[in-house]
Amino acid sequence: MAKQNTNEKEMSFLDHLEDLRWHLIRITVSILICATVAFIFSGFIFENIIFAPKRMTFPTYQWLCDVSTMVGVDDSTFCAAEFPFRIQNRTVAGQFSADIWTSIYAGFILAFPYIIYQFWRFISPGLHASERRHSRGFIFASSFLFFLGVLFGYYIVTPLTINFLGNYIVSAEVSNEFDLSSYISTVRSSSIAAGFIFELPIVVYFLTKIGLVTPKIMRKYRKFALVLVLILAAIITPPDIASQVIVAIPILILYQVSIYISKVVVRNQNKKQNINV
């Protein structure tokens, strides 16, 4: 058994709550600091990040246009000059609110490694010394997967969604004029949701550690997981097969990676039990 500090052993429930409170305070302060920086550079964020998927010069559209041209498909939706919709603000404080909330969410994304670090600091006293030594790897892996998911959501899910909904019409009598908050919500939810989805291997790691998940269970329910992945892809993407397949593939890869991680965790636990015996 790893040797722990006396104060860590003697912490009461109220002490844990006090410790959690300070971790939450540090997390909040870090988000606010990053949000302030994002607010200062909000002009750059809106012009070059938020509204970039609205322009046909966005890299994803250029790539899809090249692919469709290469295979001989005349796809005007990806090779058009511009989207047939406008973004407008309908409320008095709409643009100010959009600026504030965009800065806060940007602050959360920027502060994510520190948030994970604080989370690890809170749970690490209850772990063995050997498990604590992997803290840096945990923080790096969690942050890497989250940022990778955000990029996937921004460069894949977001443009596919905007392209589909921006070109979708029920009649020529109706013009698409999207509200500012609705457009930003689409970009934000697609990116951040993908970031959390990419945390699946980390979640499986902890669930395996506490015995709720095993590689055998994950293999047994792989078919059900496939169905859930397709449903999830259908929820976060436009209702077309190509978009759903593009989103489903990396999630299925993450699921397979999670099975391997669960297998490694179980194998290490079995080795420790054999050593103790």
Side-chain angles (χ1 to χ4, degrees):
M1 179 71 180
K3 190 175 181 179
Q4 293 180 322
N5 295 330
T6 305
N7 61 338
E8 291 177 351
K9 287 184 177 180
E10 297 177 354
M11 285 182 69
S12 65
F13 177 72
L14 292 178
D15 292 331
H16 282 293
L17 285 181
E18 178 66 15
D19 187 41
L20 176 61
R21 185 174 74 90
W22 279 107
H23 285 297
L24 293 176
I25 289 174
R26 295 188 189 100
I27 289 173
T28 303
V29 171
S30 67
I31 293 176
L32 291 176
I33 291 174
C34 292
T36 301
V37 175
F39 184 78
I40 293 173
F41 295 97
S42 62
F44 174 84
I45 292 175
F46 274 94
E47 289 297 325
N48 297 280
I49 299 178
I50 300 296
F51 293 132
K54 180 186 178 298
R55 307 185 185 104
M56 295 306 298
T57 54
F58 195 67
T60 305
Y61 303 135
Q62 296 289 321
W63 178 75
L64 290 173
C65 179
D66 293 339
V67 170
S68 60
T69 303
M70 186 183 304
V71 298
V73 178
D74 184 17
D75 195 344
S76 58
T77 59
F78 294 123
C79 301
E82 61 180 9
F83 280 112
F85 70 84
R86 295 174 57 233
I87 299 175
Q88 57 182 345
N89 176 51
R90 297 177 183 271
T91 59
V92 175
Q95 296 198 50
F96 178 74
S97 297
D99 203 354
I100 293 295
W101 282 107
T102 298
S103 299
I104 292 174
Y105 281 103
F108 172 81
I109 294 173
L110 293 173
F112 187 80
Y114 185 76
I115 295 172
I116 290 296
Y117 170 73
Q118 288 298 320
F119 170 74
W120 184 262
R121 286 283 304 276
F122 177 70
I123 66 172
S124 61
L127 302 176
H128 295 281
S130 59
E131 293 172 327
R132 296 183 194 180
R133 286 196 293 268
H134 298 290
S135 61
R136 292 184 179 179
F138 164 75
I139 294 169
F140 173 79
S142 299
S143 302
F144 174 77
L145 288 173
F146 178 76
F147 289 133
L148 185 64
V150 169
L151 290 174
F152 177 80
Y154 178 72
Y155 280 103
I156 303 298
V157 181
T158 297
L160 289 175
T161 303
I162 291 176
N163 182 273
F164 178 82
L165 297 178
N167 286 286
Y168 190 88
I169 58 173
V170 295
S171 172
E173 298 293 328
V174 183
S175 60
N176 284 331
E177 296 183 354
F178 300 146
D179 188 70
L180 176 64
S181 60
S182 177
Y183 174 85
I184 294 177
S185 176
T186 299
V187 177
R188 180 183 64 225
S189 60
S190 299
S191 302
I192 296 181
F196 283 120
I197 290 173
F198 271 58
E199 291 293 305
L200 177 63
I202 304 298
V203 174
V204 169
Y205 171 82
F206 280 104
L207 291 179
T208 305
K209 292 287 289 185
I210 62 179
L212 292 179
V213 170
T214 63
K216 184 178 180 180
I217 292 176
M218 295 189 70
R219 293 192 190 98
K220 180 180 179 181
Y221 294 100
R222 198 199 310 259
K223 294 181 180 178
F224 297 98
L226 174 61
V227 175
L228 289 176
V229 166
L230 293 176
I231 293 174
L232 180 63
I235 293 174
I236 65 177
T237 60
D240 64 271
I241 300 300
S243 300
Q244 294 174 15
V245 170
I246 291 174
V247 173
I249 288 175
I251 300 178
L252 290 174
I253 293 174
L254 286 172
Y255 187 84
Q256 191 62 39
V257 171
S258 298
I259 294 177
Y260 175 76
I261 291 174
S262 181
K263 180 180 178 181
V264 171
V265 172
V266 171
R267 184 174 59 197
N268 292 338
Q269 289 177 338
N270 292 335
K271 284 183 179 179
K272 288 181 181 179
Q273 290 178 356
N274 294 332
I275 292 174
N276 292 333
V277 171

